[in-house]
Amino acid sequence: MKIITECPTYTVSESLGINQSNWDHPEHLGLGQLHMEQLFKTVTLEPGKAQTLNRSAQTLDIDGLQLNDPLMPERKISGEQFLNRRLYNDALLVMQGTEVLHESYRNGMTADDRHVIHSCSKSLCSMVVAITIEQGLLQSSELISHYIPEFRQRPEWQGVTLQHVLDMQAGIAYSEDYSDPDAHYWHYARAAGYYPPLAGEHAIGAKAWIIDNLNSRSHAPGSSFVYNSCLANILGMALEAVHRKPLAAIFEQLLYQVAGTESAAYFNTDPMGFAIVEGQLNMRLQDFARCASIMLNQGKSLSNQQIIAPSFISETIAPDLHAKAIYQAVDSDTVFKLGQYKNQFWIVSPEQQQFAMLGIHGQFAWYDLRRELMIVGFGSYPRQDGPLMTQSLNTLWQAIAAQV
């Protein structure tokens, strides 16, 4: 682990005026998401022994596919147009088993660029938690306050377990409605360093904001699904408490180096130096695929080293009637109608063993275990999320799955 940005310039492009206040404007995303180290303090995750990606003799021509157009029903659209004009995709890789069927880059991105993966970082964090549980340092049934002393005298955190945090069922009052400027998320994001603080605000860091502001209960623990990015940071705080080292060093040792990665990843931190594990890991596409493929290959790296217990994967994707009920109860998902959420993964169709890591603006790793298929992608979708983006992602996934 090395420090590469101690004092950010907060400027991505001086000539274009792209900076901390507007890096995520739609016209800036293609560049801003490749240079987050200029906006945040940043450390590296150093690679281990690189594992070559095997290439299949049979390649997949995605540009030539004809897909149903989610924007204009009853019409078809080519794969090339779909990736460029529906998903605003930057990079795409398809792997079946341990072989790459397709790899492509667009919108100016190259194979050497590191792209922020946003909330896909959460899923990688849960994998590190799973490894730590296997080491006996964490227990999923233990109260989260056991690991974070600041919560021990807080009534709203009583009864909240590590598993509740993993499953976004902590019951803590919080809003992550990106369309609401007063949502908790935007106040947190400015405190963590995503954007300049407003008048009267201060960039106090992720930990301090969590302790100061996640201070009331909306539901009983385990009774409701409420998506809350800060819960992933709480997992990071628990990891630091039991390993007694910085979160980036934990990621580097337990996941990144053993996954066979080839190049350093960049981990953005808040102003206090805490790695923002809910969304600020930046990776090359191939290295993201190497890390994500552990969930495809029964917990093993591409070099066949067992990294995660297979039981973690089977428990994550198992159909769960309670999880489905509370997932649909708060905000009905019209695309993944049978979906559920478990261990920081979106289980889009548990009966079909299809699940995903998802990040705003079109970042993903999607799995179909029955087909031994994984699709990973980076994007610059103009909005953080929305039904059209989600429907477009699902259309792409299912079209590719039908071809293999």
Side-chain angles (χ1 to χ4, degrees), residues 90-166:
D90 296 329
L92 188 71
L93 186 148
V94 180
M95 178 179 289
Q96 189 167 36
T98 60
E99 293 187 328
V100 175
L101 305 179
H102 174 92
E103 182 179 352
S104 60
Y105 299 87
R106 53 194 57 79
N107 194 24
M109 186 177 173
T110 72
D112 293 326
D113 288 320
R114 294 170 182 84
H115 197 295
V116 62
I117 65 173
H118 294 301
S119 289
C120 295
S121 304
K122 295 179 174 69
S123 305
L124 296 181
C125 181
S126 80
M127 293 163 66
V128 176
V129 169
I131 296 167
T132 303
I133 289 173
E134 283 293 306
Q135 293 175 332
L137 297 177
L138 289 172
Q139 292 184 1
S140 61
S141 60
E142 183 62 82
L143 295 176
I144 193 65
S145 58
H146 177 76
Y147 306 112
I148 302 176
E150 292 87 347
F151 292 164
R152 289 176 189 167
Q153 303 303 318
R154 302 273 289 271
E156 65 273 14
W157 287 97
Q158 300 308 301
V160 179
T161 66
L162 179 69
Q163 191 64 57
H164 289 142
V165 175
L166 282 164

Side-chain angles (χ1 to χ4, degrees), residues 85-317:
R85 299 300 300 164
R86 295 297 177 265
L87 279 178
Y88 301 84
N89 180 260
D90 296 329
L92 188 71
L93 186 148
V94 180
M95 178 179 289
Q96 189 167 36
T98 60
E99 293 187 328
V100 175
L101 305 179
H102 174 92
E103 182 179 352
S104 60
Y105 299 87
R106 53 194 57 79
N107 194 24
M109 186 177 173
T110 72
D112 293 326
D113 288 320
R114 294 170 182 84
H115 197 295
V116 62
I117 65 173
H118 294 301
S119 289
C120 295
S121 304
K122 295 179 174 69
S123 305
L124 296 181
C125 181
S126 80
M127 293 163 66
V128 176
V129 169
I131 296 167
T132 303
I133 289 173
E134 283 293 306
Q135 293 175 332
L137 297 177
L138 289 172
Q139 292 184 1
S140 61
S141 60
E142 183 62 82
L143 295 176
I144 193 65
S145 58
H146 177 76
Y147 306 112
I148 302 176
E150 292 87 347
F151 292 164
R152 289 176 189 167
Q153 303 303 318
R154 302 273 289 271
E156 65 273 14
W157 287 97
Q158 300 308 301
V160 179
T161 66
L162 179 69
Q163 191 64 57
H164 289 142
V165 175
L166 282 164
D167 296 343
M168 301 282 184
Q169 297 178 22
I172 301 298
Y174 180 87
S175 169
E176 194 149 334
D177 180 355
Y178 302 121
S179 66
D180 179 4
D182 292 324
H184 289 94
Y185 173 79
W186 296 112
H187 296 275
Y188 153 73
R190 291 190 292 269
Y194 282 83
Y195 311 100
L198 300 181
E201 294 181 336
H202 301 281
I204 60 175
K207 290 182 182 180
W209 192 90
I210 286 168
I211 292 166
D212 289 350
N213 292 275
L214 297 188
N215 52 18
S216 63
R217 177 174 285 183
S218 59
H219 302 85
S223 68
S224 181
F225 169 77
V226 178
Y227 189 80
N228 180 343
S229 282
C230 294
L231 295 180
N233 287 333
I234 290 173
L235 295 174
M237 293 164 67
L239 286 167
E240 287 193 336
V242 299
H243 285 286
R244 300 183 183 275
K245 63 177 67 173
L247 184 55
I250 300 167
F251 258 71
E252 181 181 77
Q253 177 185 352
L254 296 186
L255 181 65
Y256 198 71
Q257 291 189 336
V258 296
T261 51
E262 185 176 34
S263 300
Y266 290 173
F267 217 152
N268 305 128
T269 79
D270 69 11
M272 310 306 157
F274 176 72
I276 306 172
V277 72
E278 55 84 9
Q280 286 304 121
L281 191 55
N282 306 258
M283 307 171 73
R284 292 173 63 241
L285 180 69
Q286 292 181 6
D287 285 331
F288 181 41
R290 289 180 172 99
C291 291
S293 70
I294 293 170
M295 295 294 290
L296 177 67
N297 296 315
Q298 299 181 337
K300 295 179 181 180
S301 70
L302 294 175
S303 63
N304 212 36
Q305 178 182 352
Q306 195 73 49
I307 308 300
I308 293 173
S311 59
F312 171 75
I313 301 171
S314 60
E315 291 167 4
T316 297
I317 66 172

